[in-house]
Amino acid sequence: MLWRRNLFAPLAALALVLTASAGAGTAAAATDTTVVAAAPAASAAAPAADDFGAPGPYATAVEVGAITTLYYPRDIADSDRRHPVIVWGNGTGGVPLVYRDLLLHWASQGFVVAAANTPMSNLGISMRASIDMLTGRNADPGSVFFDRVDLEHIGASGHSQGGAAAIVVGSDPRIDTILPIQPGPLANINAVRVPALLLAGQRDSIVFPALVKAFYNAADHIPALYGEVRGADHFTVVGDPGPFAAPTTAWFRAHLMGDRTAGAQFFGPGCGICTDTATWSDVRRNSLALNVPAATP
Protein backbone atom coordinates (compact mmCIF):
# COMPACT_ATOMS: atom_id res chain seq x y z
CA MET A 1 0.00 0.00 0.00
CA LEU A 2 1.28 3.47 -0.87
CA TRP A 3 0.53 4.93 2.55
CA ARG A 4 2.75 2.27 4.12
CA ARG A 5 5.66 2.95 1.79
CA ASN A 6 5.38 6.70 2.36
CA LEU A 7 5.36 6.29 6.12
CA PHE A 8 8.10 3.71 6.59
CA ALA A 9 11.15 5.74 5.64
CA PRO A 10 10.60 8.87 7.79
CA LEU A 11 9.54 6.90 10.86
CA ALA A 12 12.42 4.47 10.57
CA ALA A 13 14.89 7.33 10.15
CA LEU A 14 13.43 9.17 13.11
CA ALA A 15 13.67 6.04 15.24
CA LEU A 16 17.35 5.73 14.42
CA VAL A 17 18.00 9.36 15.28
CA LEU A 18 16.13 9.11 18.58
CA THR A 19 17.88 5.86 19.48
CA ALA A 20 21.29 7.39 18.82
CA SER A 21 20.54 10.46 20.92
CA ALA A 22 18.62 8.84 23.76
CA GLY A 23 21.60 7.75 25.80
CA ALA A 24 21.60 5.09 28.51
CA GLY A 25 18.34 6.30 30.02
CA THR A 26 16.24 5.01 27.13
CA ALA A 27 18.02 1.95 25.79
CA ALA A 28 15.91 0.27 23.13
CA ALA A 29 17.60 -3.07 22.54
CA ALA A 30 17.84 -4.70 25.96
CA THR A 31 15.58 -7.54 27.02
CA ASP A 32 13.94 -7.61 30.47
CA THR A 33 15.80 -4.48 31.46
CA THR A 34 14.28 -1.83 33.68
CA VAL A 35 15.32 1.76 33.03
CA VAL A 36 14.18 4.47 35.42
CA ALA A 37 13.29 7.84 33.95
CA ALA A 38 13.98 11.05 35.81
CA ALA A 39 11.52 11.77 38.59
CA PRO A 40 9.71 15.12 38.69
CA ALA A 41 11.35 17.77 40.83
CA ALA A 42 10.31 17.46 44.47
CA SER A 43 9.01 21.01 44.45
CA ALA A 44 6.84 20.52 41.36
CA ALA A 45 3.22 21.34 42.05
CA ALA A 46 0.57 18.73 41.31
CA PRO A 47 -1.23 19.49 38.04
CA ALA A 48 -4.70 20.95 38.13
CA ALA A 49 -7.46 18.35 37.88
CA ASP A 50 -8.36 19.47 34.38
CA ASP A 51 -4.82 20.15 33.11
CA PHE A 52 -4.50 16.86 31.28
CA GLY A 53 -1.58 18.04 29.18
CA ALA A 54 0.58 18.62 32.26
CA PRO A 55 2.82 15.85 33.62
CA GLY A 56 1.04 13.64 36.11
CA PRO A 57 2.07 13.02 39.73
CA TYR A 58 3.95 9.76 39.11
CA ALA A 59 7.66 9.38 38.46
CA THR A 60 8.04 6.91 35.60
CA ALA A 61 10.08 3.89 34.60
CA VAL A 62 10.66 2.01 31.35
CA GLU A 63 11.17 -1.71 30.85
CA VAL A 64 12.29 -2.83 27.40
CA GLY A 65 11.43 -6.43 26.60
CA ALA A 66 11.66 -8.60 23.53
CA ILE A 67 8.06 -8.05 22.44
CA THR A 68 6.79 -5.18 24.57
CA THR A 69 8.15 -1.98 26.08
CA LEU A 70 6.46 -0.99 29.32
CA TYR A 71 6.08 2.59 30.54
CA TYR A 72 4.69 2.74 34.06
CA PRO A 73 4.67 4.51 37.44
CA ARG A 74 8.12 3.89 38.91
CA ASP A 75 6.92 3.00 42.40
CA ILE A 76 4.07 0.78 41.23
CA ALA A 77 5.09 -2.02 43.59
CA ASP A 78 4.34 0.27 46.55
CA SER A 79 1.23 1.85 45.07
CA ASP A 80 -2.01 1.80 47.05
CA ARG A 81 -4.08 1.18 43.90
CA ARG A 82 -4.23 -0.86 40.73
CA HIS A 83 -3.26 0.96 37.54
CA PRO A 84 -5.23 0.73 34.27
CA VAL A 85 -3.54 -0.40 31.07
CA ILE A 86 -3.09 1.19 27.65
CA VAL A 87 -1.81 -1.03 24.85
CA TRP A 88 -0.05 0.80 22.02
CA GLY A 89 0.72 0.10 18.34
CA ASN A 90 3.43 1.94 16.36
CA GLY A 91 3.18 3.48 12.94
CA THR A 92 4.82 1.64 10.03
CA GLY A 93 8.55 1.30 10.62
CA GLY A 94 8.26 2.88 14.06
CA VAL A 95 9.22 1.64 17.52
CA PRO A 96 7.96 2.77 20.94
CA LEU A 97 10.94 5.11 21.34
CA VAL A 98 9.49 7.28 18.56
CA TYR A 99 6.44 7.94 20.76
CA ARG A 100 8.31 7.98 24.06
CA ASP A 101 7.09 11.39 25.24
CA LEU A 102 3.42 10.54 24.84
CA LEU A 103 3.77 7.09 26.43
CA LEU A 104 5.72 8.49 29.40
CA HIS A 105 3.08 11.20 29.77
CA TRP A 106 0.39 8.56 30.13
CA ALA A 107 2.55 6.64 32.61
CA SER A 108 2.99 9.80 34.68
CA GLN A 109 -0.80 9.97 34.86
CA GLY A 110 -0.95 6.52 36.44
CA PHE A 111 -1.32 4.18 33.48
CA VAL A 112 0.68 1.07 32.66
CA VAL A 113 1.45 1.50 28.96
CA ALA A 114 2.31 -1.67 27.07
CA ALA A 115 3.81 -0.65 23.72
CA ALA A 116 4.31 -3.38 21.12
CA ASN A 117 7.86 -3.28 19.78
CA THR A 118 6.89 -4.40 16.28
CA PRO A 119 7.18 -1.88 13.42
CA MET A 120 4.36 -3.72 11.63
CA SER A 121 1.53 -3.69 14.14
CA ASN A 122 -1.60 -3.80 12.00
CA LEU A 123 -2.80 -7.27 13.06
CA GLY A 124 -2.59 -6.34 16.75
CA ILE A 125 -0.92 -9.65 17.65
CA SER A 126 1.79 -8.09 19.83
CA MET A 127 -0.74 -5.77 21.47
CA ARG A 128 -2.88 -8.73 22.54
CA ALA A 129 0.29 -10.51 23.71
CA SER A 130 1.06 -7.48 25.88
CA ILE A 131 -2.19 -8.02 27.76
CA ASP A 132 -1.35 -11.68 28.24
CA MET A 133 2.11 -10.74 29.51
CA LEU A 134 0.75 -8.21 32.01
CA THR A 135 -1.81 -10.73 33.19
CA GLY A 136 1.04 -13.06 34.05
CA ARG A 137 3.13 -10.33 35.67
CA ASN A 138 0.16 -9.19 37.74
CA ALA A 139 -0.23 -12.74 39.12
CA ASP A 140 3.49 -13.21 39.84
CA PRO A 141 4.42 -12.49 43.50
CA GLY A 142 8.00 -11.85 42.39
CA SER A 143 7.04 -9.08 39.94
CA VAL A 144 6.90 -5.36 40.68
CA PHE A 145 3.52 -5.48 38.95
CA PHE A 146 2.10 -8.08 41.34
CA ASP A 147 -1.55 -7.22 42.04
CA ARG A 148 -0.97 -3.62 40.92
CA VAL A 149 -2.35 -3.83 37.35
CA ASP A 150 -6.02 -3.06 36.74
CA LEU A 151 -6.81 -5.66 34.10
CA GLU A 152 -10.50 -4.74 34.25
CA HIS A 153 -9.77 -1.41 32.58
CA ILE A 154 -7.75 -1.60 29.37
CA GLY A 155 -7.63 0.84 26.46
CA ALA A 156 -6.05 0.51 23.03
CA SER A 157 -4.32 3.24 21.05
CA GLY A 158 -1.76 3.64 18.32
CA HIS A 159 -0.64 5.87 15.48
CA SER A 160 -1.14 5.33 11.74
CA GLN A 161 -0.77 1.59 11.12
CA GLY A 162 -0.86 1.27 14.91
CA GLY A 163 -4.08 3.27 14.94
CA ALA A 164 -5.59 0.65 12.65
CA ALA A 165 -4.24 -1.97 15.07
CA ALA A 166 -6.06 -0.25 17.93
CA ILE A 167 -9.29 -0.70 15.97
CA VAL A 168 -8.45 -4.35 15.27
CA VAL A 169 -7.67 -4.98 18.95
CA GLY A 170 -10.86 -3.14 19.89
CA SER A 171 -12.80 -6.32 19.12
CA ASP A 172 -11.00 -8.09 21.99
CA PRO A 173 -13.42 -8.45 24.94
CA ARG A 174 -10.69 -7.29 27.33
CA ILE A 175 -10.61 -3.82 25.74
CA ASP A 176 -12.82 -1.08 27.23
CA THR A 177 -12.17 1.78 24.80
CA ILE A 178 -10.10 2.64 21.74
CA LEU A 179 -8.29 5.80 20.69
CA PRO A 180 -6.85 5.44 17.18
CA ILE A 181 -4.60 8.33 16.13
CA GLN A 182 -4.62 8.94 12.36
CA PRO A 183 -5.43 5.26 11.74
CA GLY A 184 -4.53 3.54 8.50
CA PRO A 185 -7.35 1.96 6.51
CA LEU A 186 -6.76 -1.76 7.19
CA ALA A 187 -9.26 -2.32 10.00
CA ASN A 188 -12.95 -3.02 10.50
CA ILE A 189 -14.56 -0.81 13.11
CA ASN A 190 -17.82 -2.74 12.82
CA ALA A 191 -16.24 -5.41 15.05
CA VAL A 192 -15.60 -2.89 17.86
CA ARG A 193 -18.08 -2.83 20.73
CA VAL A 194 -16.58 -0.10 22.95
CA PRO A 195 -16.47 3.73 22.83
CA ALA A 196 -14.06 5.26 20.33
CA LEU A 197 -12.26 8.58 19.94
CA LEU A 198 -10.88 8.82 16.40
CA LEU A 199 -8.23 11.50 15.90
CA ALA A 200 -7.15 13.04 12.61
CA GLY A 201 -4.72 15.78 11.62
CA GLN A 202 -6.08 18.72 9.64
CA ARG A 203 -2.98 18.77 7.39
CA ASP A 204 -2.29 15.05 7.29
CA SER A 205 -1.33 14.12 3.73
CA ILE A 206 -0.67 10.43 4.51
CA VAL A 207 -3.82 9.43 6.36
CA PHE A 208 -6.24 12.03 5.06
CA PRO A 209 -8.93 13.25 7.48
CA ALA A 210 -11.55 11.78 5.15
CA LEU A 211 -10.19 8.29 5.90
CA VAL A 212 -10.61 8.82 9.64
CA LYS A 213 -14.09 10.27 9.09
CA ALA A 214 -14.97 7.08 7.21
CA PHE A 215 -14.23 5.08 10.35
CA TYR A 216 -16.29 7.54 12.40
CA ASN A 217 -19.22 7.33 10.00
CA ALA A 218 -19.15 3.54 10.15
CA ALA A 219 -19.08 3.55 13.94
CA ASP A 220 -22.80 4.24 14.34
CA HIS A 221 -23.22 1.22 16.64
CA ILE A 222 -20.94 2.57 19.42
CA PRO A 223 -20.45 5.95 21.10
CA ALA A 224 -17.92 7.53 18.74
CA LEU A 225 -16.23 10.92 18.46
CA TYR A 226 -14.17 12.39 15.66
CA GLY A 227 -11.56 15.02 16.48
CA GLU A 228 -9.43 16.80 13.86
CA VAL A 229 -6.42 18.55 15.37
CA ARG A 230 -5.96 22.00 13.87
CA GLY A 231 -2.78 22.36 11.84
CA ALA A 232 -1.51 18.84 12.64
CA ASP A 233 0.26 16.77 10.03
CA HIS A 234 0.95 13.06 10.18
CA PHE A 235 4.02 13.43 12.39
CA THR A 236 2.82 16.03 14.90
CA VAL A 237 2.29 13.28 17.48
CA VAL A 238 5.87 12.01 17.06
CA GLY A 239 8.35 13.23 19.66
CA ASP A 240 6.66 15.99 21.67
CA PRO A 241 2.97 15.03 21.29
CA GLY A 242 1.88 18.66 21.67
CA PRO A 243 -1.89 19.00 21.16
CA PHE A 244 -2.43 15.23 21.31
CA ALA A 245 -1.30 14.85 24.94
CA ALA A 246 -4.22 16.46 26.75
CA PRO A 247 -7.21 14.97 24.91
CA THR A 248 -5.76 11.45 24.80
CA THR A 249 -5.03 11.60 28.52
CA ALA A 250 -8.49 12.93 29.30
CA TRP A 251 -10.15 10.21 27.21
CA PHE A 252 -8.32 7.42 28.99
CA ARG A 253 -8.81 9.00 32.41
CA ALA A 254 -12.54 9.19 31.71
CA HIS A 255 -12.93 5.62 30.48
CA LEU A 256 -10.34 3.75 32.51
CA MET A 257 -10.26 5.77 35.74
CA GLY A 258 -13.81 7.10 35.95
CA ASP A 259 -12.59 10.72 35.99
CA ARG A 260 -15.74 12.85 35.65
CA THR A 261 -13.85 16.05 34.92
CA ALA A 262 -12.13 14.27 32.05
CA GLY A 263 -15.44 12.90 30.81
CA ALA A 264 -16.86 16.39 30.55
CA GLN A 265 -14.28 17.11 27.86
CA PHE A 266 -16.21 14.82 25.52
CA PHE A 267 -19.72 14.24 26.80
CA GLY A 268 -22.71 16.25 27.94
CA PRO A 269 -23.85 19.72 26.90
CA GLY A 270 -20.61 21.31 28.17
CA CYS A 271 -18.35 19.14 25.96
CA GLY A 272 -14.96 20.82 26.32
CA ILE A 273 -13.44 19.83 23.00
CA CYS A 274 -16.59 20.93 21.16
CA THR A 275 -15.89 24.60 21.88
CA ASP A 276 -12.07 24.54 21.77
CA THR A 277 -11.59 25.88 18.27
CA ALA A 278 -7.95 26.72 18.96
CA THR A 279 -7.10 23.01 19.20
CA TRP A 280 -9.72 21.47 16.93
CA SER A 281 -10.67 22.22 13.33
CA ASP A 282 -13.55 19.71 13.41
CA VAL A 283 -15.27 17.81 16.23
CA ARG A 284 -18.15 15.40 15.72
CA ARG A 285 -20.16 13.23 18.11
CA ASN A 286 -22.55 10.56 16.90
CA SER A 287 -26.00 10.06 18.38
CA LEU A 288 -24.85 7.43 20.86
CA ALA A 289 -22.07 9.71 22.12
CA LEU A 290 -24.54 12.58 22.46
CA ASN A 291 -26.59 10.42 24.80
CA VAL A 292 -23.66 9.71 27.15
CA PRO A 293 -23.92 11.93 30.25
CA ALA A 294 -20.77 13.83 31.18
CA ALA A 295 -20.58 12.28 34.64
CA THR A 296 -20.67 8.66 33.46
CA PRO A 297 -18.60 8.10 30.30
Side-chain angles (χ1 to χ4, degrees):
M1 297 292 289
L2 180 60
W3 71 273
R4 287 188 174 185
R5 292 198 298 269
N6 288 342
L7 179 56
F8 180 87
L11 269 183
L14 181 57
L16 290 173
V17 171
L18 288 174
T19 302
S21 62
T26 54
T31 300
D32 297 325
T33 300
T34 299
V35 182
V36 177
S43 61
D50 60 349
D51 190 2
F52 303 110
Y58 294 93
T60 57
V62 181
E63 180 183 310
V64 183
I67 297 174
T68 305
T69 297
L70 296 174
Y71 300 81
Y72 59 95
R74 184 183 65 186
D75 298 323
I76 192 169
D78 300 318
S79 178
D80 60 356
R81 52 170 292 197
R82 293 182 178 89
H83 295 263
V85 176
I86 302 170
V87 292
W88 172 265
N90 308 303
T92 305
V95 294
L97 183 60
V98 171
Y99 304 98
R100 176 180 182 273
D101 288 358
L102 178 62
L103 307 183
L104 282 174
H105 179 75
W106 289 342
S108 79
Q109 293 280 338
F111 297 98
V112 176
V113 183
N117 290 338
T118 176
M120 301 297 287
S121 58
N122 208 135
L123 296 179
I125 295 170
S126 296
M127 294 168 72
R128 295 178 197 268
S130 297
I131 302 175
D132 297 337
M133 180 268 291
L134 280 174
T135 300
R137 298 286 291 276
N138 187 61
D140 178 4
S143 169
V144 296
F145 297 99
F146 177 60
D147 199 31
R148 295 298 88 194
V149 183
D150 183 359
L151 295 166
E152 298 301 314
H153 295 93
I154 303 176
S157 186
H159 174 235
S160 196
Q161 183 181 157
I167 297 173
V168 171
V169 173
S171 65
D172 190 306
R174 297 173 293 183
I175 298 295
D176 295 289
T177 187
I178 63 171
L179 199 166
I181 301 173
Q182 297 159 300
L186 302 182
N188 178 13
I189 204 165
N190 292 319
V192 176
R193 292 292 180 267
V194 295
L197 173 60
L198 296 142
L199 297 185
Q202 183 186 24
R203 297 179 180 172
D204 192 339
S205 59
I206 295 175
V207 175
F208 298 106
L211 295 174
V212 185
K213 287 177 186 173
F215 279 125
Y216 166 77
N217 291 333
D220 56 1
H221 59 294
I222 56 175
L225 286 77
Y226 169 82
E228 186 177 289
V229 178
R230 184 176 297 281
D233 63 25
H234 196 66
F235 300 102
T236 298
V237 72
V238 172
D240 180 353
F244 287 91
T248 57
T249 300
W251 182 263
F252 283 129
R253 286 189 64 91
H255 287 85
L256 305 181
M257 293 180 174
D259 186 327
R260 296 186 176 188
T261 302
Q265 292 293 307
F266 310 98
F267 302 106
C271 166
I273 69 169
C274 298
T275 56
D276 181 7
T277 56
T279 302
W280 306 97
S281 51
D282 191 359
V283 172
R284 306 182 185 196
R285 300 187 291 172
N286 70 7
S287 60
L288 293 177
L290 288 171
N291 289 328
V292 176
T296 55

